[in-house]
Amino acid sequence: RSALGFNILFCFILLGIYELVRRWLPEVYATRKLNLSADRMVVDVLNGSSSLPLSWIPAIIRTDWAQVRKAGGLDAYMFLRFIRMCLRITCVSGIWGILILWPVFASGGEEYEESGWYHFSMANIINGSWRLWIPTIFMWLQTFYVMFLMNEEYKHYLECRMEFLAKGDDDMHPQHQYSLMVERIPHELRSDKALFNHFNSLFPGKVHSACVVLNLPNLEELSARRKRVLRRLEKSIAYYEATGNKLTHIVGR
C-alpha cells in the first residue's frame, strides 16, 4: 500500500510540475507552435480550454494519427507509436492479469496465506500446485501477443519508411530526394565551386548544388591548441595591463 500511495503521489507531483513548466517555458514545450505556420499545427495546448489542468488530454486523444505524422514528422510519429504499443502491452497484461491471475494466486495458499500484495502474487501458490500452469500459459499467450504487436508495428514502420524515402515529408526540401554522394574526388575538384562547375559541364542546368566535406583529422586538435594559446595570450595581456610586468613563455609548452 505504501508503494502504491507513493507512486500515485509521485505521479500527481510530476503532472503538476509539467502543468506549471509548460506555461513558463513555451519555447521548450511548444517549439513547433512558435516556429510553424497555423496550417501545420495539429493541437494547440496553450490556448482556449487548455488553461485548465489536464484539459490538453482530450484534444490529443481526438487527434488523428495521420495529422500527428504530418505535423510531427516520421521520427516523432514512430516514437509515439512505440509508446502506444508499450501502453497496449501494459494494459492488456494488467487487465487480464487482474481478472485471471489474481483469483488464481489468491486461492493458492492451501497451507498458509501470504499477507498484503503477496496474497495476489505467485508467492502465495505452494510448490507443485497445478495452479502454476495458469501463469505459465498466461506468459506464453502474453509473449505471443507482444510479438504480434511488434511485428505489426514493424510492418507499419517499413511502409512509412519506404514512403518517406520515396516522397520525403513537408519539412524536407525535395532536392534531398535526388542528392548523390561522390567519393574519391580528385584534388583539383575538392571545393564546392570546382565540383559544381565540373558536374554542371556534364549535365548543363541540371545540377542544384555541390558541397564538399573535407577530411581534416587534425583540424580539431589544431583548433583546440589555438584556443589554448589564445587564452594564455589574453591572460598575459590582462596581467601586463594590471601589474606592468610581462609574463614569459617557454616555446613548446
Side-chain angles (χ1 to χ4, degrees):
R1 294 180 179 178
S2 59
L4 178 62
F6 173 79
N7 283 281
I8 293 177
L9 177 62
F10 190 63
C11 176
F12 281 107
I13 291 176
L14 291 180
L15 287 175
I17 294 175
Y18 171 74
E19 287 291 339
L20 293 176
V21 175
R22 77 180 180 90
R23 291 172 169 80
W24 293 341
L25 300 174
E27 63 275 8
V28 175
Y29 292 92
T31 304
R32 298 184 67 86
K33 172 181 171 58
L34 302 177
N35 295 279
L36 293 179
S37 57
D39 60 326
R40 296 295 309 281
M41 292 299 300
V42 177
V43 179
D44 187 357
V45 297
L46 296 181
N47 293 329
S49 61
S50 61
S51 59
L52 300 176
L54 305 181
S55 59
W56 46 270
I57 295 180
I60 293 178
I61 294 177
R62 291 193 302 266
T63 303
D64 185 74
W65 278 103
Q67 294 178 293
V68 174
R69 179 182 174 184
K70 178 181 179 181
L74 184 60
D75 290 341
Y77 172 76
M78 294 308 305
F79 179 66
L80 293 175
R81 294 272 303 192
F82 171 76
I83 295 177
R84 190 192 71 158
M85 183 187 70
C86 295
L87 179 61
R88 293 175 65 180
I89 294 173
T90 303
C91 291
V92 170
S93 61
I95 293 175
W96 285 107
I98 292 175
L99 296 178
I100 297 177
L101 297 182
W102 277 18
V104 174
F105 294 154
S107 60
E110 299 178 0
E111 297 180 358
Y112 62 92
E113 295 284 342
E114 293 284 350
S115 60
W117 286 108
Y118 290 106
H119 182 72
F120 299 99
S121 69
M122 192 178 294
N124 197 47
I125 299 180
I126 61 175
N127 293 331
S129 174
W130 61 270
R131 291 181 174 85
L132 291 175
W133 283 102
I134 306 276
T136 302
I137 296 175
F138 183 88
M139 286 305 302
W140 287 346
L141 297 177
Q142 178 68 15
T143 301
F144 292 148
Y145 177 69
V146 172
M147 296 300 295
F148 169 78
L149 287 183
M150 293 178 62
N151 183 65
E152 293 298 314
E153 287 298 321
Y154 178 76
K155 291 191 294 185
H156 180 66
Y157 166 77
L158 185 60
E159 295 175 357
C160 295
R161 181 62 178 172
M162 296 304 295
E163 182 179 352
F164 173 80
L165 293 176
K167 302 179 181 179
D169 59 21
D170 296 336
D171 293 327
M172 186 176 67
H173 195 283
Q175 178 59 35
H176 292 179
Q177 301 299 113
Y178 306 97
S179 299
L180 299 176
M181 183 175 67
V182 181
E183 298 179 343
R184 299 182 181 181
I185 302 175
H187 288 277
E188 62 273 12
L189 298 180
R190 293 183 180 179
S191 68
D192 296 349
K193 183 178 180 181
L195 188 63
F196 175 83
N197 292 335
H198 174 72
F199 281 106
N200 193 52
S201 64
L202 298 176
F203 310 98
K206 297 182 179 181
V207 180
H208 179 271
S209 59
C211 180
V212 177
V213 180
L214 300 177
N215 183 19
L216 302 173
N218 299 325
L219 180 60
E220 185 175 352
E221 180 181 353
L222 293 175
S223 177
R225 183 179 178 183
R226 177 187 176 277
K227 291 181 180 179
R228 187 165 57 251
V229 173
L230 178 61
R231 184 169 57 251
R232 292 178 178 178
L233 178 60
E234 292 175 345
K235 181 179 179 180
S236 300
I237 295 175
Y239 182 83
Y240 175 74
E241 294 291 339
T243 63
N245 299 324
K246 293 183 179 181
L247 296 177
T248 60
H249 172 69
I250 302 177
V251 178
R253 291 188 178 179

